[in-house]
Amino acid sequence: MPRATLSINLPKEIWIADLSSQYPAARFTVLAAMPSEETGVGLVEIQSPAIEDIVSSFDEYDSIVSVTVLEVRSEQALVQFETTEPLLILSLSKVGIPLELPITIVDSEVVVEVTAPRESLSELGEKLTQFGLSFDLVSIHQSVNTKSLLTDEQYDLIETAIEAGYYDTPRTCTLTELAATMGLAKSTTSEKLHRAEGKVMKEFLARDSVSIE
């Protein structure tokens, strides 16, 4: 399943984007977040030398429904809040993608990692755009689950080949030796290996077709 890393620029109209841009050296780490029908509740850890000024600024935003300061230390605070602008959470929930926490916002920019089917990732790009969230695709990787991709027999063969050194450079196990270990004919071992390798390579190369627009 594809795993994408996105760098999202939050518009200054969003309270946390505006606040973090006012204090560009501060780190806003969202530890928990839960959307509801009209609002979203979150738990954020803030790190900054100007921690008292930042915490007192929460009340200045109309989109903040409630705020509870749970803990304040030197240059660090833990704050629970409810907001009418949980746009990032809504974008993900609309396409059925869970938000992987924690995420850290610095100077109105946040990097998130999402794992989802290709179709959901493409739809996510559309939702982010609809909510006015511009983003850059940092990277995308296609994981290959060989356990579900291969039959038990194929998986055992590949696993034995790896352990025996068949794929080492230089090779420390010949096809003949691998066949003897598996109790198969050399030609049968070759054919089974070829089919298993083909499945893995095709699935691996399929990542090139993944995109977010």
Side-chain angles (χ1 to χ4, degrees), residues 166-178:
Y166 181 77
Y167 293 107
D168 289 352
T169 303
R171 182 171 289 174
T172 57
C173 173
T174 66
L175 181 60
T176 301
E177 292 170 335
L178 178 60

Side-chain angles (χ1 to χ4, degrees), residues 15-16 19-20 23 28 42-46 51-69 77-83:
W15 70 272
I16 198 166
L19 185 56
S20 64
Y23 300 91
F28 296 76
L43 182 66
V44 61
E45 180 184 76
I46 309 166
I51 194 64
E52 292 185 2
D53 293 335
I54 293 176
V55 171
S56 63
S57 297
F58 272 70
D59 293 328
E60 299 176 5
Y61 294 95
D62 294 335
S63 57
I64 296 294
V65 178
S66 65
V67 57
T68 303
V69 180
L78 187 63
V79 178
Q80 180 176 304
F81 63 90
E82 183 178 3
T83 177

Side-chain angles (χ1 to χ4, degrees), residues 61-109:
Y61 294 95
D62 294 335
S63 57
I64 296 294
V65 178
S66 65
V67 57
T68 303
V69 180
L70 301 177
E71 185 178 6
V72 178
R73 298 180 181 178
S74 175
E75 301 187 0
Q76 183 173 313
L78 187 63
V79 178
Q80 180 176 304
F81 63 90
E82 183 178 3
T83 177
T84 58
E85 296 177 335
L87 299 187
L88 180 56
I89 306 174
L90 286 177
S91 299
L92 293 166
S93 63
K94 288 288 185 181
V95 294
I97 300 177
L99 178 61
E100 298 183 25
L101 298 172
I103 57 173
T104 300
I105 300 166
V106 177
D107 196 11
S108 74
E109 182 177 352

